[in-house]
Amino acid sequence: LGHWAFDAASPDKDSSSHKAAGELLGAKPAEGRFGGGLESFRGFPVSDERHALMVKNAPHLSPTASFTLELWFRPSAEFRDIRNAYLVDKRYVAHTDYQWILERPGGQQDLHMRLTLGFGDASETVLSQPVRLNEGTWSHLAVTYDGRGRVRFFQDGSLKGDRKLAGRGSVVAGSHSLSIGDRLGSNYAGVPGVLDEVRLSAGA
């Protein structure tokens, strides 16, 4: 449904058939895992500014059934004391679409992936098991949703959480743009480091 490789010739290009190119706002081209990458930076309270690739809203960015989000991430030095950092956000504060975050819940030291899904009437949040991300080292992160309540998290191909949300089906499509590397709005919370090969796919 979307594949942003951030290669140097056109870092905002979507190489999927939808050709949903984005706009670099605060984030910068960088050396990636495969060719170019996207460098984001921390936001609030250091600097409440956007650091993202922004992709205009389109129907295919709101999967109506199962879907997968995946990417490569290499943390920078300033990531180590981050409490929450947004990988992908199409939800913001609405009960629609999806939001994928790295966070340390309650200020604890363990880092988790967090997926929040909007179902129209409410949103549901699922946390992964603890994940370890080392400064300067690439990790492949992924989360799947089967469209029937089941969320699974992966790091470098290893399962990092599997949970079933009772009574839930497809997410509800929203009207927001897709933000890669930061929260959609203030308080901004960019992910300090470099992202590469961000992909949204139909199917879990």
Side-chain angles (χ1 to χ4, degrees):
L1 302 176
H3 176 209
W4 298 271
F6 312 114
D7 289 335
S10 50
D12 57 352
K13 178 183 177 181
D14 169 22
S15 62
S16 80
S17 61
H18 295 282
K19 308 299 181 188
E23 180 182 4
L24 289 174
L25 297 173
K28 298 179 179 179
E31 181 181 352
R33 177 71 175 84
F34 304 99
L38 178 77
E39 186 173 12
S40 184
F41 307 89
R42 69 183 307 167
F44 182 86
V46 174
S47 175
D48 194 18
E49 299 176 356
R50 175 183 281 127
H51 303 102
L53 178 76
M54 296 293 294
V55 182
K56 186 177 179 180
N57 183 44
H60 70 275
L61 297 176
S62 298
T64 57
S66 58
F67 66 92
T68 298
L69 286 163
E70 60 182 307
L71 52 80
W72 287 88
F73 176 54
R74 184 184 68 201
S76 65
E78 66 176 358
F79 181 80
R80 65 182 76 159
D81 62 347
I82 285 292
R83 294 302 173 197
N84 59 77
Y86 285 62
L87 297 168
V88 176
D89 185 13
K90 201 176 180 303
R91 173 182 168 268
Y92 193 34
V93 294
H95 293 314
T96 55
D97 284 318
Y98 46 87
Q99 189 178 72
W100 188 22
I101 302 173
L102 294 169
E103 72 164 8
R104 294 181 173 90
Q108 62 183 269
Q109 290 303 306
D110 284 341
L111 182 70
H112 300 255
M113 287 184 273
R114 182 180 97 190
L115 182 70
T116 301
L117 301 171
F119 296 102
D121 61 330
S123 295
E124 299 266 13
T125 294
V126 181
L127 286 179
S128 74
Q129 299 166 2
V131 296
R132 176 169 293 180
L133 297 174
N134 297 316
E135 178 186 337
T137 300
W138 287 101
S139 288
H140 185 267
L141 305 176
V143 60
T144 69
Y145 181 62
D146 73 350
R148 300 185 301 276
R150 188 182 185 188
V151 176
R152 294 192 298 168
F153 296 94
F154 300 87
Q155 181 181 17
D156 297 324
S158 295
L159 186 65
K160 289 291 184 177
D162 187 340
R163 182 179 162 193
K164 178 78 172 180
L165 300 172
R168 292 301 187 184
S170 299
V171 298
V172 171
S175 59
H176 289 305
S177 297
L178 175 67
S179 176
I180 298 173
D182 206 343
R183 193 174 190 230
L184 266 168
S186 183
N187 297 324
Y188 291 108
V191 54
V194 180
L195 303 173
D196 199 2
E197 304 294 332
V198 176
R199 190 190 304 265
L200 169 65
S201 304

